[in-house]
Amino acid sequence: PNLDGETDDCSAKNACGVHLHSGRSCADVMSQEGHYFDTSMFEMYEDPWAKEKYSSDDNGDAVFDGIVNIGHSYARDLDGRAFVVHADDGSRIGCGTLAEAPLLVSSLSGFKQEGEVFAVESGEDTVCFVGTASGLTPNAECKPDAVPNSCGVHVHEGSGCENKAAQGNHWYNPSSFDEDPWRSVGYESTDEIGKAVFSRCVKTGYPSSMSVQSKAFIVHEFDGSRAICGKLELYSEKGNARKVAMLSAVCMALLCIAVGYLKLCRKERQERSHDNTTDLELTQDSVKYRDDDPMEKSIEQFRDDQDEPEHEMI
């Protein structure tokens, strides 16, 4: 609980790390292989995953996101790759394999602004998304704590963009939260031409049967006003061939966000319900701790080699 990935809480090698691996199995360290990226694009021992870390709350839960450049050809081959989560001491505590998921997309438009967002629904009550917006106020300073909806990016309960009535309020179950989970969700700033990039996973409190499909997605200006809007719809590759390369990278980011979020939350729930947490056993879809685990020697053997470039065991 209460780890900050940007501080000394996570200063050890791979501490609080969240990484995509080359392997297509979570059976053991060898099966997971090294970090997945095009080594020809980087200097020796330079790893684009090295700075990807999570922070956890009072309950030990964490939501993390990121956009990592792993190389165009590599981004088109993600299915089944192992995604690994590390503890604050750098040890591996979670692993899961990526799988295809329905992709939602929306083209956002406003008076002078425009944008695009891609989203997947993760688990029972979570939506994960990445997107861009342009035409916003240049060099904006976002102040969501002082100005409601400042630089906000939100899913709304409505299914139209014609006006505020059609857009509705933020999409979440009020009975599941003490305050609006979308309150602090948004982009951090805009550049000199008014462009912003954003990504996040948000718990909505609604079951998977209540999909965000057809809901309105809205991007706000720095002053909290609604700038652009679009409706989330299932993506169809037909007639959109020009977006295939872009979608490969987007799906990579979304899948990493969704899978990593689910595995970390599952791991924390298991830790809270079991006191005996001495030895690590990695399986296809979960992580358990047991005494006298036969996997211990295998993990210890490779622990010193964790998370070097792909040609070494990490």
Side-chain angles (χ1 to χ4, degrees), residues 79-297:
D79 192 34
R81 302 286 181 188
F83 192 91
V84 176
V85 178
H86 295 262
D88 58 331
D89 62 358
S91 61
R92 305 185 184 197
I93 57 174
C95 180
T97 53
L98 301 186
E100 291 185 3
L103 179 67
L104 299 171
V105 61
S106 178
S107 294
L108 310 172
S109 61
F111 179 63
K112 293 182 178 180
Q113 307 91 338
E114 61 182 7
E116 197 158 34
V117 63
F118 302 89
V120 294
E121 293 179 278
S122 171
E124 273 295 297
D125 61 352
T126 303
V127 57
C128 299
F129 56 87
V130 295
T132 62
S134 60
L136 300 169
T137 300
N139 300 314
E141 296 183 5
C142 303
K143 301 178 180 180
D145 292 334
V147 181
N149 297 319
S150 175
C151 302
V153 291
H154 313 131
V155 175
H156 282 234
E157 61 188 5
S159 57
C161 289
E162 297 82 12
N163 49 49
K164 289 185 177 181
Q167 296 165 359
N169 297 317
H170 295 168
W171 170 250
Y172 73 98
N173 185 355
S175 64
S176 299
F177 301 94
D178 294 330
E179 62 179 32
D180 186 350
W182 295 95
R183 181 175 179 272
S184 60
V185 178
Y187 54 92
E188 295 183 355
S189 61
T190 59
D191 63 16
E192 63 276 5
I193 60 173
K195 185 176 181 179
V197 178
F198 50 87
S199 63
R200 189 69 70 89
C201 281
V202 180
K203 295 178 72 68
T204 66
Y206 286 124
S208 58
S209 58
M210 299 180 67
S211 174
V212 297
Q213 184 177 347
S214 299
K215 300 300 181 185
F217 192 96
I218 294 176
V219 177
H220 295 258
E221 274 280 9
F222 77 100
D223 61 1
S225 61
R226 303 184 185 194
I228 52 178
C229 176
K231 189 164 67 171
L232 292 167
E233 299 286 7
L234 278 176
Y235 174 81
S236 174
E237 189 171 306
K238 183 178 180 180
N240 292 277
R242 69 183 182 84
K243 297 180 181 178
V244 172
M246 177 181 176
L247 281 174
S248 297
V250 167
C251 288
M252 181 277 293
L254 286 172
L255 286 169
C256 288
I257 293 169
V259 173
Y261 173 79
L262 287 174
K263 297 304 174 184
L264 186 59
C265 286
R266 180 184 297 174
K267 163 62 177 62
E268 296 297 344
R269 287 196 296 269
Q270 289 174 343
E271 279 195 339
R272 289 196 293 269
S273 61
H274 295 81
D275 293 328
N276 186 8
T277 60
T278 56
D279 299 311
L280 180 64
E281 175 189 6
L282 293 173
T283 64
Q284 180 79 11
D285 296 308
S286 64
V287 175
K288 302 177 182 177
Y289 285 84
R290 298 177 180 171
D291 286 328
D292 302 322
D293 192 326
M295 191 63 68
E296 179 182 2
K297 293 182 179 180

Side-chain angles (χ1 to χ4, degrees), residues 48-75:
W49 292 99
K51 296 182 180 180
E52 298 303 315
K53 299 184 178 186
Y54 64 83
S55 297
S56 60
D57 62 16
D58 294 343
N59 297 318
D61 292 337
V63 177
F64 50 87
D65 56 77
I67 299 177
V68 181
N69 180 13
I70 62 174
H72 174 72
S73 61
Y74 278 57

